[in-house]
Amino acid sequence: MKRIIAASLLAIAAAAVPAGARQLTIADVTMLSRIGAPAMSQDGRWLVWAQRETDLAADRGRYDLWRLDLSRGGAVPTRLVADPQMDENDPQIVGSTVYYSADDAIWSVPVTGGTPWRLTDFKGGFNGFKVAPTGDRVVVWADRRPGAPSLEPAMEKKAADAGSGRTYDRLFVRHWDTWADGNRSQLFVLPLTGAGAKGNGVAITGALVGDTPSKPFGGGEEVSWSADGRTVYFALREAGRIEPLSTNLDIFAAPADGSAAPVNLTDANDATDTQPSVSPDGRKLAYVAMRRPGYEADRYVLTIRDLATGKAVSLTERWDRSVGSINWAPDSRSLYVTAEDTQEVPLWRVDAQSGEVTRLTQQGHVSAVAIGAKGPVVAMDSLTAPGDFYRVAANAGNAAPQRLTNVNAAKLAGIDMPTVERFSFTGANNDTVWGYAVRPVGAPAKLPIAFMVHGGPQGSSNNSWSYRWNPAVFAGAGYGLVAVDFHGSTGYGQAFTDAIRNNWGGWPLEDLQKGLSAATAKFSWLDADNACALGASYGGYMMNWIEGKWPDRFKCIVQHDGVFDARAMAYETEELWFDEWEHGGKAYFEDPEAFEKWNPVNLVAKWKTPQLVITGEKDFRIPYTQGLAAFTALQRRDIPSRLLAFPNENHWVLKPKNSRQWYGEVIGWMDRWTEGGSAR
């Protein structure tokens, strides 16, 4: 198998480091520059993006706009807008103008450079925007009271003797990391003239009650303009008593002047329809559609709707991959999409008539795509490095992408990189299962093992860069990292992904057991008897499951935001559709056996492995009470254990200082229980 080169992110033992080599520390990693999704001018000359730099003193990232002249060979990026008092973000190019958000307003600046101009004056803040391709309107999404006629914030009076308690009559009560406050993300359109985009605009979502874009992760990919700027297409899940049980996002069309109520274009499908994208010629609407209601990880099928006739065609029905993003080619004859495939996330071209699929990139994770007259430019990262921009040949699947930027060249200079080697084995159900092993450069003959289990569970340990769970961090700390894409992982066909349903502790655990055995048999440099296991979310659940089902295998465990008690989880989590689908489709009180079959709490009497428990107090997906309960179980059984609780983090650890603390605690815990890590 081909080897992939990955960045080492923590210092390893001095004896393992060649003379003169430098290993990255987590302190280095938190200071790396991070590129955002690019925007490209229609003629293909200019590329513009927001770039994040870390303000460690403020414990946050801050953003400037950068640009690259693609018409000049060897051109280097330059700052376009960089006001130190503001974060410039979400750039869009229409004509020769760049539009962006900053300081709760929409701004513009010539793509060639100049003085930024504030376009809007409405109050109350907003979450995002899109300028019409005609340049005469802008749609804004903002949290307002349901049915708000405009962006003008509602005047609300609170009684002087009112208490601080919240009251609710239906779910959602809280979602992801936020308590519901009665507001909904809604769409408002403002005219864009030579004087700017003044006033409060007009609401176009009518009487619909729901969030558009959807929460917590929806964005501009769920909102699209018609080519003539007269219609807005958007995805929305109508709110109601069943909202936490529904994955039924639909695509609506609304006139941009608010003159008529939105029309539901996908009402016939009770599963998810999202990512509307209008073809440049204005004749077709592309979107992705799932088939099974209540399942958030069903396959996304690329669908094309003829806007004149209303006829919809499932373009990629025969392609057993799930489409992740959509971009039309300028001639409207094909589309560029991303889709996972065996630990890679390539760019593909799909013929808009036949549905024929052509792979355009090979290794790496394509995270964002911009299209211009000269073809696609992508943001791409891998286990080797954080993201940069690359030009991709539009009609050839074998040509290597042309690198356009190297934004972290100076910060990564002189750093030794670990190697990553893939392996496969026969796992559960006699299926082929894939994994990889990461080895630091200059490593000793035997390395302790960091056995990392991904979350989701419908996810993948793929060839991508991560600031939260970066495999090279552990290689840099002197560990041989092993990761396995167990049943339930994505990128191997929908049947493989579906196989984890009603099977959380079954086939996935069998894959992990066989995978670790296969890795230690194949790679002699892995010390099979000196291993720690670690994982978050579903991976954290698996850590708790391993405590009871595989209690003698590991010297230590790191469990982050994992399910400890399936019964409590069924009533505490906010997105009920997820937990109920995963256990057969019924609520706990309707089928308790389905939940209890794979419930870690039932096996606490067998627990014995030292465990580090990590949780975030703003995590409402797997509430922090699950982590507290696991820690209590460990303490009551006198098992060496440690609790790390972040009061200001959700299901993820995002703040720079917290990230440094997280890595210090995790690596320190592993060093304490293994032989050969960075502490020795």
Side-chain angles (χ1 to χ4, degrees), residues 174-188:
R174 56 186 188 177
H175 199 183
W176 187 245
D177 60 4
T178 305
W179 285 87
D181 62 2
N183 290 321
R184 291 286 184 170
S185 182
Q186 301 168 71
L187 300 181
F188 306 89

Side-chain angles (χ1 to χ4, degrees), residues 610-665:
Q611 183 179 141
L612 170 65
V613 180
I614 306 173
T615 189
E617 293 180 27
K618 295 177 68 177
D619 184 2
F620 302 152
R621 182 60 44 85
I622 300 179
Y624 71 89
T625 50
Q626 293 278 312
L628 291 179
F631 182 64
T632 298
L634 291 158
Q635 289 281 302
R636 287 291 288 114
R637 284 191 49 76
D638 292 327
I639 299 170
S641 48
R642 184 173 175 87
L643 174 68
L644 172 61
F646 290 104
N648 57 350
E649 298 286 5
N650 53 33
H651 200 55
W652 301 331
V653 174
L654 301 175
K655 296 183 179 297
K657 292 179 181 179
N658 288 344
S659 180
R660 293 184 177 193
Q661 183 182 11
W662 186 96
Y663 276 109
E665 289 285 346

Side-chain angles (χ1 to χ4, degrees), residues 27 80 99 109 167 186 194 239 251 256 297 319 361 427 533 559 604 631-632 673:
L80 177 61
Y99 300 89
V109 67
T167 58
Q186 301 168 71
I251 293 173
W319 186 37
T361 64
Q559 183 262 111
V604 167
F631 182 64
T632 298
W673 297 103

Side-chain angles (χ1 to χ4, degrees), residues 15-100:
V17 183
R22 182 171 80 86
Q23 302 294 328
L24 268 180
T25 67
I26 185 56
D28 296 317
V29 173
T30 52
M31 301 307 292
L32 292 177
S33 303
R34 308 187 195 184
I35 58 171
M40 196 188 306
S41 59
Q42 188 174 13
D43 62 7
R45 178 179 177 182
W46 295 102
L47 194 73
V48 177
W49 65 94
Q51 186 164 305
R52 179 190 186 275
E53 307 294 343
T54 299
D55 183 345
L56 193 61
D59 200 20
R60 61 180 289 269
R62 63 170 316 278
Y63 299 82
D64 296 326
L65 294 191
W66 290 71
R67 65 176 177 176
L68 180 66
D69 185 349
L70 298 176
S71 68
R72 295 173 47 231
V76 297
T78 58
R79 281 187 172 87
L80 177 61
V81 184
D83 188 326
Q85 304 303 315
M86 295 190 292
D87 287 329
E88 297 88 11
N89 225 323
D90 195 24
Q92 301 161 43
I93 306 177
V94 176
S96 59
T97 301
V98 177
Y99 300 89
Y100 64 96

Side-chain angles (χ1 to χ4, degrees), residues 404-620:
L404 300 173
T405 63
N406 195 348
V407 299
N408 285 297
K411 296 175 181 178
L412 295 173
I415 294 169
D416 276 335
M417 308 292 186
T419 58
V420 181
E421 189 168 353
R422 297 185 184 182
F423 65 97
S424 63
F425 58 95
T426 300
N429 198 40
N430 289 319
D431 292 331
T432 299
V433 178
W434 286 87
Y436 60 67
V438 185
R439 184 186 190 188
V441 170
K446 289 289 185 181
L447 287 172
I449 299 170
F451 189 52
M452 189 174 73
V453 181
H454 71 68
Q458 293 87 1
S460 173
S461 294
N462 58 30
N463 184 19
S464 62
W465 185 267
S466 173
Y467 286 92
R468 299 197 310 273
W469 285 76
N470 192 313
V473 170
F474 300 96
Y479 289 86
L481 182 130
V482 177
V484 171
D485 268 359
F486 49 83
H487 277 81
S489 299
T490 50
Y492 305 89
Q494 193 60 41
F496 192 87
T497 301
D498 293 345
I500 197 172
R501 189 188 192 196
N502 265 331
N503 200 10
W504 266 37
W507 287 0
L509 179 59
E510 183 178 343
D511 289 339
L512 293 170
Q513 291 172 327
K514 291 180 176 179
L516 183 55
S517 178
T520 55
K522 181 178 178 65
F523 305 113
S524 60
W525 45 271
L526 292 173
D527 186 349
D529 298 323
N530 193 23
C532 281
L534 58 159
S537 196
Y538 173 82
Y541 158 85
M542 182 53 69
M543 297 302 103
N544 289 330
W545 189 243
I546 284 172
E547 280 276 10
K549 296 294 287 188
W550 203 10
D552 298 308
R553 181 63 184 88
F554 298 101
K555 291 195 170 183
C556 69
I557 283 175
V558 177
Q559 183 262 111
H560 184 152
D561 287 341
V563 175
F564 168 73
D565 183 356
R567 180 181 184 181
M569 172 69 176
Y571 291 107
E572 291 177 346
T573 191
E574 18 82 284
E575 291 192 344
L576 298 178
W577 65 77
F578 167 76
D579 210 36
E580 294 186 11
W581 176 274
E582 293 297 303
H583 295 91
K586 295 182 179 180
Y588 181 91
F589 60 83
E590 296 173 310
D591 188 9
E593 291 79 10
F595 293 79
E596 295 300 338
K597 182 178 182 180
W598 310 115
N599 195 349
V601 75
N602 295 329
L603 300 174
V604 167
K606 297 181 179 180
W607 285 26
K608 62 174 64 174
T609 310
Q611 183 179 141
L612 170 65
V613 180
I614 306 173
T615 189
E617 293 180 27
K618 295 177 68 177
D619 184 2
F620 302 152

Side-chain angles (χ1 to χ4, degrees), residues 153-177:
M155 298 295 293
E156 296 180 337
K157 293 184 178 180
K158 190 174 183 179
D161 59 349
S164 61
R166 307 182 184 99
T167 58
Y168 299 93
D169 298 304
R170 64 173 59 176
L171 301 172
F172 288 112
V173 168
R174 56 186 188 177
H175 199 183
W176 187 245
D177 60 4

Side-chain angles (χ1 to χ4, degrees), residues 182-203:
N183 290 321
R184 291 286 184 170
S185 182
Q186 301 168 71
L187 300 181
F188 306 89
V189 173
L190 291 81
L192 182 56
T193 69
K198 305 301 182 182
N200 292 301
V202 59

